[in-house]
Amino acid sequence: MALNPQYEDIGKGFVQQYYALFDNPVQRANVINFYSTTDSFMTFEGLQIQGAPKIMEKLSSLTFQKITRVITAVDSQPMFDGGVLINVLGRLQTDEDQPHAYIQTFVLKPVGASFFVQHDIFRLSLHDV
Amino acid sequence: MALNPQYEDIGKGFVQQYYALFDNPVQRANVINFYSTTDSFMTFEGLQIQGAPKIMEKLSSLTFQKITRVITAVDSQPMFDGGVLINVLGRLQTDEDQPHAYIQTFVLKPVGASFFVQHDIFRLSLHDV
């Protein structure tokens, strides 16, 4: 129950590591190792899912091959259980689609000397009027 | 240490309540009651501050009078300590400025039958190349 003074480095390091896997079609399936079988929540464009198997199913259904991603800002905060709250603002382009701004929020939960993703919320910044 | 099944209503209700105060210049100072004197973190456009007095100082320094706000999406998740993680995607226009997309993330921490804002991250969706 202590604030981790390294929260800033942990946030930036995680984001780099996560997207390096996610953005590589050959490696993408490995992001599943960041999630817990039961205790991970994902909200993907409003769709709520829980647990690594269902999260993997969702990520496997994404059909694009190429992602071009630009990270605009990574804001991290230390949490009182030793975890880290991370907010990512960026832009991404999949295959030949239009580039879109997006936001992704992660809550990293400590387990021993490591972390898993307990919460993950993803939204493209699309604003219909 | 239980998931709150009302997380969706709590998230939506909080967002409505918070912005109703924030967006009213006469009421804005009252949002401070959502924060803890010591245990609230805010990251406002990259500026990190802690505790209700400093948060109030920051919010008091915002000089706009009129805010027009459109909420695009509110995504909430239940947390394992009974709290709620809330992600807001919206657009806002202050006074006569251009409208901008923004993201705001809140972590509500339970205290008795109520909640306080333990984490708050705000970013305008501005992407300089």
Side-chain angles (χ1 to χ4, degrees):
Chain A
M1 294 290 284
L3 297 175
N4 190 321
Q6 305 301 318
Y7 68 95
E8 193 93 55
D9 291 342
I10 293 166
K12 291 218 162 81
F14 169 78
V15 165
Q16 191 173 29
Q17 207 183 348
Y18 185 92
Y19 289 140
L21 295 177
F22 192 96
D23 293 354
N24 180 342
V26 179
Q27 295 284 343
R28 187 170 306 142
N30 291 317
V31 302
I32 203 59
N33 299 317
F34 290 117
Y35 298 90
S36 146
T37 310
T38 54
D39 292 354
S40 292
F41 291 98
M42 175 182 276
T43 307
F44 189 92
E45 289 290 322
L47 175 73
Q48 299 189 14
I49 41 188
Q50 183 176 356
K54 292 220 167 107
I55 290 169
M56 197 60 246
E57 205 176 291
K58 177 65 201 169
L59 297 184
S60 305
S61 76
L62 303 172
T63 55
F64 51 79
Q65 285 299 304
K66 206 179 93 205
I67 300 189
T68 310
R69 187 186 303 267
V70 179
I71 304 296
T72 303
V74 178
D75 290 316
S76 301
Q77 289 183 356
M79 302 187 84
F80 287 88
D81 66 352
V84 183
L85 171 66
I86 306 168
N87 242 32
V88 181
L89 173 66
R91 277 175 305 174
L92 58 79
Q93 178 174 25
T94 54
D95 293 336
E96 306 309 316
D97 286 1
Q98 287 291 321
H100 289 299
Y102 79 95
I103 54 173
Q104 192 160 11
T105 301
F106 298 99
V107 171
L108 302 187
K109 173 83 178 174
V111 270
S114 187
F115 296 91
F116 73 91
V117 176
Q118 193 157 55
H119 300 274
D120 177 352
I121 300 177
F122 174 88
R123 275 272 177 194
L124 288 176
S125 184
L126 300 176
H127 305 262
D128 302 330
V129 184
Chain B
M1 294 287 285
L3 297 175
N4 190 321
Q6 305 301 319
Y7 68 95
E8 193 93 55
D9 291 342
I10 293 166
K12 291 216 163 83
F14 168 78
V15 165
Q16 192 173 27
Q17 208 184 347
Y18 184 92
Y19 290 139
L21 295 177
F22 192 96
D23 293 354
N24 181 340
V26 179
Q27 295 284 344
R28 187 169 307 142
N30 291 318
V31 301
I32 203 60
N33 299 318
F34 290 117
Y35 298 90
S36 146
T37 310
T38 53
D39 291 354
S40 291
F41 291 99
M42 175 182 276
T43 307
F44 189 91
E45 289 290 321
L47 175 74
Q48 300 188 14
I49 42 190
Q50 183 176 354
K54 291 217 167 113
I55 290 168
M56 198 60 245
E57 205 177 293
K58 177 65 202 169
L59 297 184
S60 306
S61 75
L62 303 173
T63 54
F64 51 79
Q65 286 299 305
K66 206 178 94 204
I67 301 190
T68 310
R69 188 187 301 268
V70 180
I71 303 296
T72 304
V74 178
D75 290 316
S76 301
Q77 289 183 355
M79 303 186 84
F80 287 87
D81 65 353
V84 183
L85 171 67
I86 305 167
N87 242 32
V88 182
L89 173 67
R91 277 175 303 173
L92 59 80
Q93 177 173 24
T94 54
D95 294 335
E96 306 310 317
D97 285 2
Q98 286 292 319
H100 289 299
Y102 79 96
I103 54 173
Q104 192 161 11
T105 301
F106 298 99
V107 170
L108 301 187
K109 172 83 178 174
V111 270
S114 187
F115 295 91
F116 74 91
V117 176
Q118 194 158 55
H119 300 275
D120 176 354
I121 301 178
F122 175 88
R123 275 272 176 194
L124 288 176
S125 185
L126 301 175
H127 305 263
D128 302 329
V129 183

